[in-house]
Coordinates of all heavy atoms in Angstrom, one line a residue:
M1 N 0.6 -6.0 12.2 CA -0.1 -6.0 10.9 C 1.2 -5.8 9.9 O 2.0 -4.8 10.1 CB -0.9 -4.9 10.9 CG -1.7 -4.8 9.5 SD -2.9 -3.4 9.8 CE -3.3 -3.0 8.1
S2 N 1.4 -6.7 8.9 CA 2.4 -6.6 8.0 C 1.8 -6.3 6.6 O 0.8 -6.6 6.3 CB 3.3 -7.8 7.8 OG 2.5 -8.8 7.4
V3 N 2.6 -5.4 5.9 CA 2.1 -5.0 4.6 C 3.2 -5.2 3.6 O 4.3 -4.8 3.8 CB 1.7 -3.5 4.5 CG1 1.1 -3.1 3.2 CG2 0.6 -3.2 5.6
T4 N 2.8 -5.9 2.5 CA 3.9 -6.1 1.4 C 3.2 -5.7 0.1 O 2.0 -5.7 -0.1 CB 4.4 -7.5 1.4 OG1 3.3 -8.5 1.2 CG2 5.2 -7.9 2.6
I5 N 4.1 -5.4 -0.8 CA 3.6 -5.0 -2.3 C 4.3 -6.1 -3.2 O 5.5 -6.3 -3.2 CB 4.1 -3.7 -2.6 CG1 3.8 -2.6 -1.6 CG2 3.6 -3.3 -4.2 CD1 2.4 -2.4 -1.4
S6 N 3.5 -6.7 -4.0 CA 3.9 -7.7 -4.9 C 4.5 -7.0 -6.2 O 4.2 -5.8 -6.5 CB 2.8 -8.7 -5.3 OG 1.9 -8.1 -6.2
D7 N 5.2 -7.7 -7.0 CA 5.6 -7.3 -8.3 C 4.6 -7.0 -9.3 O 4.9 -6.5 -10.3 CB 6.7 -8.3 -8.9 CG 7.9 -8.4 -8.1 OD1 8.2 -7.4 -7.3 OD2 8.7 -9.4 -8.3
D8 N 3.4 -7.3 -9.0 CA 2.1 -6.9 -9.8 C 1.9 -5.4 -9.8 O 1.2 -4.9 -10.7 CB 0.9 -7.7 -9.4 CG 1.1 -9.2 -9.7 OD1 1.7 -9.7 -10.6 OD2 0.3 -10.0 -9.1
C9 N 2.5 -4.6 -8.9 CA 2.2 -3.2 -8.8 C 2.5 -2.5 -10.1 O 3.8 -2.7 -10.8 CB 3.2 -2.7 -7.7 SG 3.1 -0.8 -7.7
I10 N 1.5 -1.7 -10.5 CA 1.7 -0.9 -11.8 C 1.9 0.5 -11.5 O 1.8 1.4 -12.4 CB 0.5 -1.2 -12.7 CG1 -0.8 -0.7 -12.0 CG2 0.4 -2.6 -13.2 CD1 -2.1 -0.8 -12.9
C11 N 2.2 0.9 -10.3 CA 2.6 2.3 -9.9 C 1.5 3.2 -10.3 O 1.7 4.4 -10.7 CB 3.9 2.7 -10.4 SG 5.3 1.7 -9.9
C12 N 0.2 2.8 -10.0 CA -0.9 3.8 -10.4 C -1.1 4.8 -9.4 O -1.6 6.0 -9.6 CB -2.2 3.0 -10.5 SG -2.8 2.5 -8.8
G13 N -0.5 4.7 -8.2 CA -0.6 5.8 -7.2 C -1.7 5.8 -6.3 O -1.8 6.7 -5.4
A14 N -2.7 4.9 -6.5 CA -3.9 4.9 -5.7 C -3.7 4.7 -4.3 O -4.2 5.4 -3.4 CB -4.8 3.8 -6.2
C15 N -2.7 3.8 -3.9 CA -2.5 3.6 -2.4 C -1.9 4.7 -1.8 O -2.2 5.2 -0.7 CB -1.6 2.3 -2.3 SG -0.1 2.3 -3.2
E16 N -1.0 5.5 -2.5 CA -0.3 6.7 -2.0 C -1.4 7.8 -1.8 O -1.3 8.4 -0.9 CB 0.8 7.2 -2.9 CG 1.6 8.3 -2.4 CD 2.7 8.7 -3.4 OE1 2.3 8.9 -4.6 OE2 3.9 8.7 -3.0
S17 N -2.4 7.9 -2.7 CA -3.4 8.9 -2.6 C -4.2 8.6 -1.3 O -4.6 9.6 -0.7 CB -4.3 9.0 -3.8 OG -3.5 9.2 -5.0
I18 N -4.6 7.5 -1.0 CA -5.2 7.0 0.1 C -4.7 7.2 1.4 O -5.2 7.5 2.4 CB -6.0 5.6 -0.1 CG1 -6.9 5.6 -1.3 CG2 -6.6 5.1 1.1 CD1 -7.3 4.1 -1.8
C19 N -3.4 6.7 1.3 CA -2.6 6.6 2.7 C -1.1 7.0 2.4 O -0.3 6.1 2.4 CB -2.8 5.2 3.3 SG -2.2 5.2 5.0
G20 N -0.9 8.1 2.1 CA 0.6 8.6 1.9 C 1.5 8.4 3.1 O 2.7 8.4 2.9
E21 N 1.0 8.3 4.3 CA 1.8 8.1 5.4 C 2.5 6.7 5.4 O 3.6 6.5 6.0 CB 0.9 8.2 6.8 CG 0.4 9.6 7.2 CD -0.9 9.8 6.4 OE1 -1.4 8.9 5.6 OE2 -1.5 10.9 6.5
V22 N 1.8 5.8 4.7 CA 2.4 4.4 4.6 C 3.0 4.2 3.2 O 4.0 3.6 3.2 CB 1.2 3.4 5.0 CG1 1.8 1.9 4.6 CG2 0.8 3.5 6.5
F23 N 2.3 4.5 2.1 CA 2.7 4.0 0.8 C 3.3 5.2 0.0 O 2.8 6.4 0.1 CB 1.4 3.6 0.1 CG 0.8 2.5 0.5 CD1 -0.4 2.5 1.3 CD2 1.2 1.1 0.4 CE1 -1.1 1.5 1.9 CE2 0.6 0.0 1.0 CZ -0.6 0.2 1.7
S24 N 4.4 4.8 -0.7 CA 5.1 5.9 -1.6 C 5.5 5.0 -2.8 O 5.7 3.9 -2.7 CB 6.2 6.6 -0.9 OG 7.1 5.7 -0.5
I25 N 5.5 5.8 -4.0 CA 5.7 5.2 -5.2 C 7.2 5.5 -5.7 O 7.5 6.6 -5.8 CB 4.7 5.6 -6.3 CG1 3.4 5.6 -5.7 CG2 4.9 4.8 -7.6 CD1 2.9 4.2 -5.4
A26 N 8.0 4.4 -5.9 CA 9.2 4.5 -6.5 C 9.2 3.7 -7.8 O 8.4 4.1 -8.6 CB 10.3 4.0 -5.5
D27 N 10.0 2.6 -8.0 CA 9.9 1.8 -9.1 C 8.6 0.9 -9.0 O 8.1 0.2 -9.8 CB 11.1 1.0 -9.4 CG 11.6 0.2 -8.2 OD1 11.3 0.6 -7.1 OD2 12.2 -0.8 -8.4
K28 N 8.2 0.7 -7.7 CA 6.9 0.2 -7.3 C 6.6 0.8 -6.1 O 7.4 1.6 -5.3 CB 7.0 -1.4 -7.3 CG 7.7 -2.1 -6.1 CD 7.4 -3.5 -6.1 CE 8.1 -4.1 -4.8 NZ 7.7 -5.4 -4.6
A29 N 5.3 0.6 -5.5 CA 5.0 1.1 -4.2 C 5.8 0.5 -3.2 O 6.2 -0.6 -3.2 CB 3.6 0.9 -4.0
V30 N 6.1 1.3 -2.2 CA 6.9 0.8 -1.0 C 6.2 1.3 0.3 O 5.4 2.2 0.3 CB 8.4 1.4 -1.0 CG1 9.2 1.0 -2.1 CG2 8.4 3.0 -1.0
V31 N 6.4 0.5 1.3 CA 5.6 0.6 2.5 C 6.6 1.2 3.6 O 7.7 0.8 3.9 CB 5.2 -0.7 3.1 CG1 4.6 -0.8 4.4 CG2 4.3 -1.3 2.0
N32 N 6.2 2.2 4.4 CA 6.7 2.8 5.5 C 6.2 2.1 6.6 O 5.1 2.4 7.3 CB 6.3 4.2 5.6 CG 7.1 4.9 6.9 OD1 7.6 4.2 7.8 ND2 7.2 6.2 6.9
D33 N 6.9 1.0 7.2 CA 6.4 0.1 8.3 C 6.1 0.8 9.5 O 5.2 0.4 10.2 CB 7.4 -1.0 8.4 CG 7.5 -2.1 7.2 OD1 6.5 -2.5 6.8 OD2 8.7 -2.5 6.9
A34 N 6.9 1.9 9.8 CA 6.8 2.6 10.9 C 5.3 3.2 11.2 O 4.8 3.4 12.3 CB 7.7 3.6 11.2
N35 N 4.6 3.5 10.1 CA 3.4 4.2 10.1 C 2.2 3.1 9.8 O 1.0 3.6 9.8 CB 3.2 5.2 9.1 CG 4.1 6.3 9.5 OD1 4.6 6.5 10.6 ND2 4.5 7.2 8.5
V36 N 2.4 1.9 9.7 CA 1.3 0.9 9.3 C 0.2 0.8 10.4 O -0.9 1.0 10.2 CB 1.9 -0.4 9.0 CG1 0.9 -1.5 9.0 CG2 2.6 -0.5 7.6
A37 N 0.7 0.6 11.7 CA -0.2 0.3 12.8 C -1.1 1.5 13.1 O -2.3 1.4 13.3 CB 0.6 0.1 14.1
A38 N -0.6 2.8 12.8 CA -1.5 3.9 13.2 C -2.4 4.2 12.0 O -3.4 5.1 12.1 CB -0.7 5.2 13.3
N39 N -2.3 3.6 10.9 CA -3.0 3.8 9.6 C -3.9 2.6 9.2 O -4.1 2.4 7.9 CB -2.2 4.4 8.6 CG -1.6 5.9 8.9 OD1 -2.4 6.8 8.8 ND2 -0.5 5.9 9.5
A40 N -4.1 1.7 10.1 CA -4.6 0.4 9.8 C -5.8 0.5 8.8 O -5.9 -0.4 7.8 CB -4.9 -0.5 10.9
D41 N -6.8 1.2 9.0 CA -8.1 1.3 8.3 C -7.7 1.8 6.8 O -8.1 1.3 5.8 CB -9.0 2.1 9.0 CG -9.7 1.5 10.3 OD1 -9.5 0.4 10.4 OD2 -10.3 2.3 11.0
A42 N -6.8 2.9 6.8 CA -6.5 3.4 5.4 C -5.6 2.3 4.7 O -5.7 2.3 3.4 CB -5.7 4.7 5.6
V43 N -4.8 1.5 5.3 CA -4.0 0.6 4.6 C -5.0 -0.4 4.1 O -4.8 -0.8 2.9 CB -3.0 -0.1 5.7 CG1 -2.4 -1.4 5.0 CG2 -1.9 0.9 6.1
K44 N -6.1 -0.9 4.9 CA -6.9 -1.8 4.3 C -7.7 -1.3 3.1 O -8.0 -2.0 2.1 CB -7.8 -2.3 5.5 CG -7.2 -3.2 6.4 CD -8.1 -3.4 7.6 CE -7.3 -4.2 8.8 NZ -8.0 -4.2 10.0
E45 N -8.0 0.0 3.1 CA -8.9 0.6 2.2 C -8.0 0.7 0.9 O -8.4 0.5 -0.2 CB -9.2 2.2 2.4 CG -9.9 2.9 1.6 CD -10.2 4.3 1.9 OE1 -10.1 4.7 3.1 OE2 -10.5 4.9 1.1
A46 N -6.7 1.0 1.0 CA -5.7 1.1 -0.1 C -5.5 -0.4 -0.8 O -5.5 -0.5 -2.0 CB -4.4 1.5 0.4
A47 N -5.5 -1.4 0.1 CA -5.4 -2.7 -0.4 C -6.6 -3.0 -1.3 O -6.5 -3.8 -2.3 CB -5.2 -3.7 0.7
E48 N -7.8 -2.7 -0.8 CA -8.9 -3.0 -1.5 C -9.1 -2.2 -2.8 O -9.6 -2.7 -3.9 CB -10.2 -2.8 -0.7 CG -10.3 -3.7 0.5 CD -11.3 -3.4 1.6 OE1 -12.1 -2.5 1.3 OE2 -11.4 -4.0 2.6
A49 N -8.5 -0.9 -2.9 CA -8.4 -0.1 -3.9 C -7.5 -0.4 -5.1 O -7.7 -0.1 -6.3 CB -8.3 1.3 -3.4
C50 N -6.4 -1.2 -4.7 CA -5.4 -1.5 -5.7 C -6.0 -2.3 -6.7 O -6.6 -3.3 -6.6 CB -4.3 -2.3 -4.9 SG -3.0 -2.8 -6.2
P51 N -5.8 -1.8 -8.0 CA -6.4 -2.4 -9.2 C -5.9 -3.7 -9.6 O -6.6 -4.5 -10.2 CB -6.2 -1.3 -10.3 CG -5.0 -0.6 -9.9 CD -5.0 -0.6 -8.4
V52 N -4.7 -4.1 -9.0 CA -4.1 -5.4 -9.4 C -3.9 -6.2 -8.1 O -3.2 -7.2 -8.2 CB -2.7 -5.2 -10.3 CG1 -3.0 -4.6 -11.6 CG2 -1.8 -4.4 -9.4
S53 N -4.5 -5.8 -7.1 CA -4.4 -6.5 -5.8 C -2.9 -6.9 -5.5 O -2.6 -8.0 -5.1 CB -5.2 -7.8 -5.9 OG -6.6 -7.6 -6.2
A54 N -2.2 -5.8 -5.6 CA -0.7 -6.0 -5.3 C -0.3 -5.8 -3.8 O 0.8 -6.1 -3.5 CB 0.1 -5.1 -6.1
I55 N -1.3 -5.4 -3.0 CA -1.0 -5.1 -1.6 C -1.6 -6.1 -0.7 O -2.7 -6.5 -0.6 CB -1.7 -3.7 -1.1 CG1 -1.1 -2.5 -2.0 CG2 -1.4 -3.5 0.3 CD1 -2.0 -1.2 -1.8
Q56 N -0.6 -6.9 -0.1 CA -1.0 -8.0 0.9 C -0.9 -7.5 2.3 O 0.2 -7.0 2.7 CB -0.1 -9.2 0.6 CG -0.4 -10.0 -0.6 CD 0.4 -9.5 -1.8 OE1 1.6 -9.3 -1.7 NE2 -0.3 -9.4 -2.9
V57 N -2.0 -7.6 3.0 CA -2.0 -7.2 4.4 C -2.2 -8.4 5.3 O -3.0 -9.3 5.1 CB -3.2 -6.3 4.8 CG1 -3.3 -5.9 6.2 CG2 -3.1 -4.9 3.8
G58 N -1.2 -8.7 6.2 CA -1.3 -9.8 7.0 C -1.4 -9.6 8.5 O -1.4 -8.5 8.9
Ligands
SF4_1 S1 -2.6 0.9 -5.6 FE1 -1.6 -1.1 -6.2 S2 -0.8 -1.0 -8.4 FE2 -1.3 1.1 -7.6 S3 0.7 1.8 -6.8 FE3 -0.5 1.0 -5.0 S4 0.3 -1.2 -5.0 FE4 0.8 -0.3 -7.0

């Protein structure tokens, strides 16, 4: 499972709130790839919660 953040990210913090093990906010949200597999359901929840659909899960 791969997770990427597009430049549409507005740094709202929702993904970090839902799954801080994977997402953190800098100038835009960044992904901790090492924790993606163990947090797959929360990653999908965060992707659905993103207000600008900036999280792509493949
Ligand atoms: S939820 Fe979406 S817009 Fe908000 S910080 Fe995460 S990637 Fe960016």
Side-chain angles (χ1 to χ4, degrees):
M1 184 172 163
S2 66
V3 182
T4 56
I5 309 294
S6 79
D7 289 339
D8 292 335
C9 174
I10 57 172
C11 296
C12 73
C15 55
E16 186 178 50
S17 296
I18 292 168
C19 189
E21 292 86 356
V22 171
F23 299 100
S24 57
I25 309 301
D27 56 332
K28 71 171 190 176
V30 294
V31 173
N32 183 346
D33 288 318
N35 290 343
V36 166
N39 293 277
D41 288 346
V43 167
K44 290 172 186 166
E45 182 182 347
E48 290 168 7
C50 177
V52 292
S53 301
I55 303 172
Q56 283 87 48
V57 179

